[in-house]
Amino acid sequence: MIYIQIFLALFIPGILGYGGGPSSIPLVENEVVDRYHWMTVNEFSEVLAMANTLPGPIATKMAGYIGYDQAGILGAVVGVFATVAPSLILMIGLLGLLMKYKESPQVKRLTIVVRPIIAVLLGVMTFDFFFSSYEGEGLWQTLFLGVVAYILMQKLKVHPAYVIAGSLVYGGLVLA
Amino acid sequence: MKQLDISIAFFRSGILGYGGGPSSIPLVHKEVVDTFKWMDSDEFGDVLALANALPGPINTKMAGYIGYRVGGVVGMLNAILSSILPSIILLIVLLTTLNAYKDQPWVAGMTKAVVPVVGVMLGTLTWDFIKKSTKSTLGWKWTIVFVVASVILMELLNVHPAIIILGLLIGALVKKDKKKEEGKKERSSA
Protein backbone atom coordinates (compact mmCIF):
# COMPACT_ATOMS: atom_id res chain seq x y z
CA MET A 1 0.00 0.00 0.00
CA ILE A 2 1.78 3.07 -1.32
CA TYR A 3 -0.05 5.56 0.92
CA ILE A 4 1.02 3.74 4.06
CA GLN A 5 4.62 3.72 2.80
CA ILE A 6 4.46 7.45 2.06
CA PHE A 7 3.01 8.08 5.49
CA LEU A 8 5.73 6.04 7.24
CA ALA A 9 8.56 7.49 5.12
CA LEU A 10 7.64 11.01 6.20
CA PHE A 11 6.19 10.34 9.64
CA ILE A 12 9.50 9.00 11.00
CA PRO A 13 11.57 12.06 9.95
CA GLY A 14 8.78 14.35 11.16
CA ILE A 15 8.63 12.84 14.62
CA LEU A 16 12.41 12.43 15.08
CA GLY A 17 13.78 15.55 13.40
CA TYR A 18 14.59 17.76 16.35
CA GLY A 19 15.52 21.35 15.49
CA GLY A 20 13.07 22.15 12.70
CA GLY A 21 12.67 21.18 9.05
CA PRO A 22 16.31 21.18 7.87
CA SER A 23 17.33 18.58 10.45
CA SER A 24 14.73 16.19 9.07
CA ILE A 25 16.18 16.33 5.52
CA PRO A 26 18.81 13.60 6.02
CA LEU A 27 16.18 11.44 7.74
CA VAL A 28 13.90 11.90 4.73
CA GLU A 29 16.77 10.96 2.41
CA ASN A 30 17.42 7.87 4.47
CA GLU A 31 13.82 6.70 3.93
CA VAL A 32 13.29 7.84 0.35
CA VAL A 33 16.65 6.85 -1.16
CA ASP A 34 18.00 4.06 1.05
CA ARG A 35 14.91 2.28 2.27
CA TYR A 36 12.17 2.68 -0.33
CA HIS A 37 14.40 3.42 -3.36
CA TRP A 38 11.92 5.93 -4.74
CA MET A 39 14.74 8.15 -5.94
CA THR A 40 18.46 7.96 -6.64
CA VAL A 41 20.89 10.21 -4.79
CA ASN A 42 21.01 12.45 -7.86
CA GLU A 43 17.25 12.74 -8.12
CA PHE A 44 16.98 13.54 -4.45
CA SER A 45 19.64 16.25 -4.78
CA GLU A 46 17.70 17.72 -7.69
CA VAL A 47 14.54 17.89 -5.58
CA LEU A 48 16.51 19.38 -2.68
CA ALA A 49 18.14 21.95 -4.97
CA MET A 50 14.80 23.04 -6.40
CA ALA A 51 13.25 23.12 -2.95
CA ASN A 52 16.10 25.38 -1.83
CA THR A 53 15.61 27.84 -4.69
CA LEU A 54 11.99 28.27 -3.67
CA PRO A 55 10.87 30.04 -0.52
CA GLY A 56 8.83 28.53 2.30
CA PRO A 57 9.33 25.71 4.82
CA ILE A 58 11.62 23.02 3.39
CA ALA A 59 10.28 19.85 5.05
CA THR A 60 6.71 20.28 3.82
CA LYS A 61 7.83 21.18 0.29
CA MET A 62 9.89 18.00 0.11
CA ALA A 63 7.09 15.91 1.63
CA GLY A 64 4.52 17.35 -0.79
CA TYR A 65 6.66 16.66 -3.83
CA ILE A 66 7.78 13.18 -2.77
CA GLY A 67 4.18 12.20 -2.05
CA TYR A 68 3.01 13.67 -5.37
CA ASP A 69 5.80 11.94 -7.27
CA GLN A 70 4.80 8.54 -5.86
CA ALA A 71 1.01 8.76 -5.79
CA GLY A 72 -0.36 12.03 -7.19
CA ILE A 73 -2.32 14.66 -5.30
CA LEU A 74 -3.53 12.25 -2.62
CA GLY A 75 0.07 11.13 -2.12
CA ALA A 76 1.08 14.76 -1.60
CA VAL A 77 -1.69 15.21 0.96
CA VAL A 78 -0.61 12.07 2.83
CA GLY A 79 3.05 13.16 2.78
CA VAL A 80 2.35 16.64 4.12
CA PHE A 81 -0.07 15.30 6.73
CA ALA A 82 2.52 12.79 7.97
CA THR A 83 5.09 15.59 8.29
CA VAL A 84 2.90 18.20 9.95
CA ALA A 85 0.16 16.52 11.93
CA PRO A 86 1.92 14.36 14.55
CA SER A 87 4.04 17.11 16.08
CA LEU A 88 1.24 19.67 15.85
CA ILE A 89 -1.24 17.35 17.54
CA LEU A 90 1.35 16.71 20.27
CA MET A 91 1.86 20.44 20.68
CA ILE A 92 -1.81 21.32 21.05
CA GLY A 93 -2.64 18.16 23.02
CA LEU A 94 0.22 18.39 25.50
CA LEU A 95 0.03 22.14 25.95
CA GLY A 96 -0.37 22.11 29.71
CA LEU A 97 2.33 19.54 30.26
CA LEU A 98 4.72 21.29 27.88
CA MET A 99 4.17 24.70 29.45
CA LYS A 100 5.27 23.21 32.74
CA TYR A 101 8.38 21.50 31.41
CA LYS A 102 9.51 23.64 28.48
CA GLU A 103 12.34 25.18 30.49
CA SER A 104 13.37 21.94 32.15
CA PRO A 105 16.91 20.72 31.45
CA GLN A 106 15.62 17.33 30.29
CA VAL A 107 13.52 18.88 27.54
CA LYS A 108 16.29 21.25 26.50
CA ARG A 109 18.61 18.28 26.31
CA LEU A 110 16.48 16.58 23.64
CA THR A 111 17.64 18.92 20.89
CA ILE A 112 21.21 18.78 22.15
CA VAL A 113 21.64 15.00 22.11
CA VAL A 114 20.07 14.59 18.68
CA ARG A 115 22.23 17.28 17.04
CA PRO A 116 25.44 15.22 16.56
CA ILE A 117 23.43 12.39 14.95
CA ILE A 118 21.83 14.83 12.51
CA ALA A 119 25.32 16.18 11.80
CA VAL A 120 26.53 12.68 10.93
CA LEU A 121 23.52 12.05 8.69
CA LEU A 122 24.11 15.36 6.94
CA GLY A 123 27.81 14.55 6.58
CA VAL A 124 27.04 11.17 5.02
CA MET A 125 24.62 12.82 2.63
CA THR A 126 27.24 15.42 1.69
CA PHE A 127 29.68 12.61 0.91
CA ASP A 128 27.06 10.74 -1.15
CA PHE A 129 26.37 13.85 -3.21
CA PHE A 130 30.01 14.57 -3.96
CA PHE A 131 30.76 10.93 -4.67
CA SER A 132 27.82 10.61 -7.05
CA SER A 133 28.94 13.77 -8.84
CA TYR A 134 32.52 12.46 -8.99
CA GLU A 135 31.31 9.22 -10.56
CA GLY A 136 29.17 11.04 -13.11
CA GLU A 137 31.06 14.20 -13.98
CA GLY A 138 34.59 13.37 -12.91
CA LEU A 139 36.89 15.01 -10.42
CA TRP A 140 37.50 18.36 -12.12
CA GLN A 141 33.91 19.40 -12.79
CA THR A 142 32.90 18.35 -9.27
CA LEU A 143 35.80 20.23 -7.72
CA PHE A 144 35.22 23.31 -9.90
CA LEU A 145 31.49 23.51 -9.13
CA GLY A 146 32.03 22.76 -5.45
CA VAL A 147 34.76 25.36 -4.96
CA VAL A 148 32.96 28.09 -6.92
CA ALA A 149 29.70 27.41 -5.07
CA TYR A 150 31.51 27.50 -1.73
CA ILE A 151 33.23 30.82 -2.47
CA LEU A 152 30.03 32.43 -3.75
CA MET A 153 27.83 31.29 -0.86
CA GLN A 154 30.21 31.36 2.09
CA LYS A 155 32.76 34.07 1.23
CA LEU A 156 30.80 36.46 -0.99
CA LYS A 157 27.45 35.74 0.72
CA VAL A 158 25.57 35.33 -2.55
CA HIS A 159 22.06 34.00 -1.92
CA PRO A 160 21.92 30.18 -2.46
CA ALA A 161 18.97 30.56 -4.83
CA TYR A 162 21.16 32.51 -7.28
CA VAL A 163 24.04 30.05 -6.97
CA ILE A 164 21.72 27.13 -7.75
CA ALA A 165 20.20 29.05 -10.67
CA GLY A 166 23.73 29.79 -11.94
CA SER A 167 24.76 26.14 -11.70
CA LEU A 168 21.63 25.14 -13.66
CA VAL A 169 22.60 27.50 -16.48
CA TYR A 170 26.19 26.22 -16.40
CA GLY A 171 24.99 22.60 -16.50
CA GLY A 172 22.53 23.25 -19.32
CA LEU A 173 25.25 24.84 -21.46
CA VAL A 174 28.46 23.02 -20.49
CA LEU A 175 27.52 19.57 -19.20
CA ALA A 176 24.82 18.93 -21.80
CA MET B 1 -11.86 39.13 8.48
CA LYS B 2 -9.89 37.34 11.15
CA GLN B 3 -9.41 34.31 8.88
CA LEU B 4 -8.24 36.59 6.09
CA ASP B 5 -5.70 38.17 8.47
CA ILE B 6 -4.44 34.69 9.38
CA SER B 7 -4.06 33.82 5.69
CA ILE B 8 -2.15 37.02 4.98
CA ALA B 9 0.14 36.67 8.00
CA PHE B 10 1.20 33.10 7.26
CA PHE B 11 1.25 33.43 3.49
CA ARG B 12 3.65 36.38 3.73
CA SER B 13 5.95 34.82 6.31
CA GLY B 14 5.99 31.50 4.39
CA ILE B 15 6.64 32.85 0.92
CA LEU B 16 9.33 35.31 2.06
CA GLY B 17 11.30 32.87 4.20
CA TYR B 18 14.25 31.32 2.38
CA GLY B 19 16.18 28.39 3.71
CA GLY B 20 13.46 26.44 5.46
CA GLY B 21 11.23 26.93 8.48
CA PRO B 22 13.69 28.20 11.13
CA SER B 23 14.71 31.13 8.93
CA SER B 24 11.14 32.33 8.68
CA ILE B 25 10.59 32.49 12.45
CA PRO B 26 11.55 36.21 12.61
CA LEU B 27 9.05 36.86 9.81
CA VAL B 28 6.32 35.04 11.73
CA HIS B 29 7.23 37.08 14.80
CA LYS B 30 6.88 40.31 12.82
CA GLU B 31 3.39 39.39 11.56
CA VAL B 32 2.06 37.93 14.80
CA VAL B 33 3.51 40.44 17.26
CA ASP B 34 3.99 43.67 15.28
CA THR B 35 1.46 43.63 12.45
CA PHE B 36 -1.57 41.82 13.87
CA LYS B 37 -0.77 42.04 17.61
CA TRP B 38 -2.18 38.59 18.41
CA MET B 39 0.37 38.12 21.18
CA ASP B 40 3.22 40.04 22.76
CA SER B 41 6.88 39.22 22.36
CA ASP B 42 7.06 37.24 25.63
CA GLU B 43 4.14 35.05 24.70
CA PHE B 44 5.66 34.46 21.28
CA GLY B 45 8.89 33.39 22.98
CA ASP B 46 6.88 30.93 25.07
CA VAL B 47 5.25 29.42 22.00
CA LEU B 48 8.63 29.14 20.30
CA ALA B 49 10.09 27.36 23.33
CA LEU B 50 7.13 24.98 23.27
CA ALA B 51 7.60 24.26 19.57
CA ASN B 52 11.29 23.65 20.15
CA ALA B 53 10.53 21.10 22.84
CA LEU B 54 8.87 18.90 20.23
CA PRO B 55 10.23 17.25 17.08
CA GLY B 56 9.18 18.01 13.53
CA PRO B 57 9.13 21.09 11.32
CA ILE B 58 9.10 24.25 13.42
CA ASN B 59 7.18 26.50 11.10
CA THR B 60 4.03 24.41 10.83
CA LYS B 61 3.92 23.87 14.59
CA MET B 62 4.02 27.64 15.10
CA ALA B 63 1.48 28.32 12.35
CA GLY B 64 -0.84 25.59 13.60
CA TYR B 65 -0.74 26.68 17.21
CA ILE B 66 -1.05 30.41 16.58
CA GLY B 67 -3.80 29.84 14.00
CA TYR B 68 -5.63 27.67 16.52
CA ARG B 69 -5.39 30.31 19.25
CA VAL B 70 -6.57 33.11 17.01
CA GLY B 71 -9.25 31.35 14.95
CA GLY B 72 -9.95 27.84 16.28
CA VAL B 73 -9.62 24.71 14.16
CA VAL B 74 -10.42 26.61 10.96
CA GLY B 75 -7.74 29.13 11.87
CA MET B 76 -5.27 26.31 12.43
CA LEU B 77 -5.86 24.73 9.01
CA ASN B 78 -5.90 28.17 7.43
CA ALA B 79 -2.54 29.13 8.92
CA ILE B 80 -0.83 25.85 7.97
CA LEU B 81 -2.14 25.81 4.42
CA SER B 82 -1.30 29.48 3.89
CA SER B 83 2.28 28.94 4.94
CA ILE B 84 3.00 25.68 3.11
CA LEU B 85 0.67 25.34 0.11
CA PRO B 86 2.09 28.04 -2.20
CA SER B 87 5.64 26.66 -2.02
CA ILE B 88 4.52 23.01 -2.42
CA ILE B 89 2.56 23.85 -5.57
CA LEU B 90 5.51 25.81 -6.97
CA LEU B 91 7.88 22.90 -6.35
CA ILE B 92 5.55 20.30 -7.89
CA VAL B 93 4.98 22.44 -11.01
CA LEU B 94 8.68 23.20 -11.39
CA LEU B 95 9.89 19.61 -10.99
CA THR B 96 7.10 18.08 -13.06
CA THR B 97 7.91 20.47 -15.89
CA LEU B 98 11.59 19.64 -15.63
CA ASN B 99 10.86 15.90 -15.58
CA ALA B 100 8.86 16.23 -18.82
CA TYR B 101 12.08 17.34 -20.54
CA LYS B 102 14.24 14.83 -18.71
CA ASP B 103 15.60 13.29 -21.93
CA GLN B 104 16.83 16.59 -23.32
CA PRO B 105 20.61 16.83 -22.90
CA TRP B 106 20.44 20.36 -21.44
CA VAL B 107 18.06 19.23 -18.67
CA ALA B 108 20.34 16.29 -17.90
CA GLY B 109 23.27 18.73 -17.72
CA MET B 110 21.34 21.02 -15.35
CA THR B 111 20.54 18.24 -12.93
CA LYS B 112 24.18 17.12 -12.90
CA ALA B 113 25.64 20.55 -12.23
CA VAL B 114 23.41 21.12 -9.24
CA VAL B 115 24.63 18.06 -7.29
CA PRO B 116 27.99 19.50 -6.08
CA VAL B 117 26.29 22.81 -5.25
CA VAL B 118 23.79 21.08 -2.99
CA GLY B 119 26.74 19.11 -1.63
CA VAL B 120 28.37 22.36 -0.53
CA MET B 121 25.14 23.54 1.12
CA LEU B 122 24.82 20.26 3.01
CA GLY B 123 28.47 20.35 3.99
CA THR B 124 27.98 23.81 5.45
CA LEU B 125 24.88 22.65 7.29
CA THR B 126 26.84 19.67 8.66
CA TRP B 127 29.52 22.00 10.00
CA ASP B 128 26.87 24.29 11.54
CA PHE B 129 25.41 21.33 13.43
CA ILE B 130 28.85 20.22 14.65
CA LYS B 131 29.73 23.75 15.78
CA LYS B 132 26.41 24.22 17.58
CA SER B 133 26.89 20.85 19.21
CA THR B 134 30.36 21.65 20.53
CA LYS B 135 29.06 24.93 21.95
CA SER B 136 26.17 23.19 23.73
CA THR B 137 26.48 21.36 27.04
CA LEU B 138 27.93 18.38 25.17
CA GLY B 139 31.19 20.17 24.41
CA TRP B 140 33.94 18.91 22.08
CA LYS B 141 34.59 15.65 23.86
CA TRP B 142 31.04 14.31 23.91
CA THR B 143 30.26 15.61 20.43
CA ILE B 144 33.15 13.57 19.05
CA VAL B 145 32.05 10.51 21.03
CA PHE B 146 28.47 10.87 19.73
CA VAL B 147 29.65 11.44 16.16
CA VAL B 148 32.04 8.49 16.11
CA ALA B 149 29.53 6.18 17.80
CA SER B 150 26.75 7.07 15.36
CA VAL B 151 29.03 6.69 12.33
CA ILE B 152 29.89 3.18 13.53
CA LEU B 153 26.29 2.27 14.31
CA MET B 154 24.69 3.71 11.18
CA GLU B 155 27.33 3.19 8.51
CA LEU B 156 29.08 0.01 9.61
CA LEU B 157 26.34 -1.83 11.50
CA ASN B 158 23.45 -0.38 9.45
CA VAL B 159 21.34 0.53 12.46
CA HIS B 160 18.37 2.70 11.43
CA PRO B 161 18.91 6.31 12.61
CA ALA B 162 15.43 6.30 14.16
CA ILE B 163 16.54 3.66 16.69
CA ILE B 164 19.62 5.68 17.70
CA ILE B 165 17.66 8.92 18.01
CA LEU B 166 14.92 7.25 20.05
CA GLY B 167 17.52 5.75 22.35
CA LEU B 168 19.15 9.15 22.88
CA LEU B 169 15.82 10.88 23.50
CA ILE B 170 14.88 8.36 26.17
CA GLY B 171 18.34 8.68 27.68
CA ALA B 172 18.06 12.47 27.77
CA LEU B 173 14.70 12.35 29.54
CA VAL B 174 15.64 9.69 32.06
CA LYS B 175 19.09 10.92 33.02
CA LYS B 176 19.28 12.68 36.36
CA ASP B 177 20.51 16.25 36.42
CA LYS B 178 23.83 17.38 37.66
CA LYS B 179 23.72 20.84 39.15
CA LYS B 180 26.60 21.84 36.92
CA GLU B 181 24.50 21.53 33.81
CA GLU B 182 21.81 23.95 34.86
CA GLY B 183 24.26 26.80 34.94
CA LYS B 184 25.12 26.77 31.30
CA LYS B 185 21.80 26.46 29.62
CA GLU B 186 21.68 25.91 25.93
CA ARG B 187 20.47 28.91 23.95
CA SER B 188 18.55 27.51 21.07
CA SER B 189 18.96 29.54 17.91
CA ALA B 190 15.90 28.29 16.13
Side-chain angles (χ1 to χ4, degrees):
Chain A
M1 205 21 204
I2 187 72
Y3 297 112
I4 294 175
Q5 289 186 342
I6 294 174
F7 182 85
L8 285 177
L10 295 156
F11 170 77
I12 294 172
I15 208 77
L16 292 174
Y18 262 88
S23 53
S24 67
I25 290 172
L27 295 165
V28 172
E29 198 241 21
N30 196 73
E31 300 298 317
V32 169
V33 177
D34 300 341
R35 180 196 283 245
Y36 293 109
H37 307 291
W38 287 333
M39 290 178 186
T40 63
V41 172
N42 267 9
E43 283 165 340
F44 189 82
S45 83
E46 186 191 334
V47 176
L48 190 53
M50 291 303 165
N52 266 313
T53 58
L54 296 173
I58 193 100
T60 46
K61 260 184 296 189
M62 302 285 292
Y65 177 73
I66 291 163
Y68 178 81
D69 192 38
Q70 290 307 311
I73 304 273
L74 190 55
V77 173
V78 171
V80 172
F81 180 81
T83 306
V84 172
S87 59
L88 182 62
I89 291 168
L90 277 178
M91 176 147 171
I92 292 177
L94 299 178
L95 198 64
L97 198 69
L98 283 167
M99 272 298 181
K100 209 169 140 197
Y101 289 108
K102 71 181 168 15
E103 297 293 334
S104 94
Q106 270 97 340
V107 168
K108 298 210 156 196
R109 213 151 50 201
L110 294 178
T111 308
I112 299 175
V113 296
V114 171
R115 206 175 270 144
I117 317 306
I118 301 293
V120 169
L121 287 166
L122 282 166
V124 170
M125 229 172 119
T126 309
F127 177 81
D128 285 348
F129 278 30
F130 281 116
F131 189 71
S132 145
S133 177
Y134 164 74
E135 279 189 321
E137 302 326 297
L139 179 64
W140 296 112
Q141 288 290 354
T142 305
L143 213 56
F144 169 72
L145 283 162
V147 169
V148 171
Y150 178 79
I151 293 170
L152 288 175
M153 286 190 283
Q154 293 302 309
K155 301 293 167 203
L156 305 175
K157 304 287 172 203
V158 177
H159 196 286
Y162 296 122
V163 181
I164 288 175
S167 75
L168 290 174
V169 173
Y170 176 85
L173 296 174
V174 180
L175 299 181
Chain B
M1 274 321 276
K2 191 182 272 173
Q3 295 297 341
L4 185 65
D5 286 350
I6 295 176
S7 292
I8 294 171
F10 288 99
F11 172 73
R12 268 201 304 232
S13 54
I15 207 78
L16 294 175
Y18 264 96
S23 60
S24 66
I25 295 298
L27 298 170
V28 177
H29 180 273
K30 188 168 171 285
E31 299 289 345
V32 169
V33 177
D34 301 338
T35 310
F36 293 104
K37 302 189 175 28
W38 287 322
M39 43 181 76
D40 61 31
S41 221
D42 285 348
E43 259 183 296
F44 188 85
D46 271 355
V47 177
L48 188 58
L50 265 183
N52 269 322
L54 288 170
I58 191 95
N59 207 32
T60 48
K61 267 180 296 188
M62 300 289 289
Y65 176 72
I66 295 168
Y68 181 73
R69 279 235 334 219
V70 176
V73 175
V74 178
M76 177 182 86
L77 293 174
N78 183 354
I80 294 176
L81 292 179
S82 303
S83 67
I84 67 173
L85 212 52
S87 59
I88 295 178
I89 292 171
L90 276 175
L91 184 66
I92 290 178
V93 169
L94 194 70
L95 283 168
T96 317
T97 316
L98 207 59
N99 272 338
Y101 297 100
K102 195 157 54 183
D103 299 329
Q104 299 283 332
W106 58 274
V107 174
M110 283 164 77
T111 57
K112 286 175 198 159
V114 93
V115 178
V117 178
V118 180
V120 170
M121 297 172 74
L122 286 170
T124 319
L125 204 57
T126 309
W127 184 238
D128 284 348
F129 270 80
I130 301 257
K131 257 194 320 202
K132 261 193 213 161
S133 184
T134 57
K135 283 180 191 150
S136 71
T137 48
L138 283 180
W140 272 108
K141 208 178 73 188
W142 281 103
T143 300
I144 292 170
V145 171
F146 273 45
V147 164
V148 171
S150 52
V151 167
I152 293 170
L153 286 171
M154 289 189 288
E155 294 305 307
L156 299 180
L157 304 175
N158 283 320
V159 177
H160 194 284
I163 295 170
I164 301 170
I165 294 177
L166 268 178
L168 283 169
L169 292 178
I170 292 167
L173 285 175
V174 169
K175 189 173 156 256
K176 283 265 189 299
D177 267 299
K178 288 180 227 131
K179 284 211 174 101
K180 210 174 78 183
E181 278 181 350
E182 290 183 43
K184 31 178 183 176
K185 268 182 189 163
E186 149 89 350
R187 273 177 212 92
S188 185
S189 60

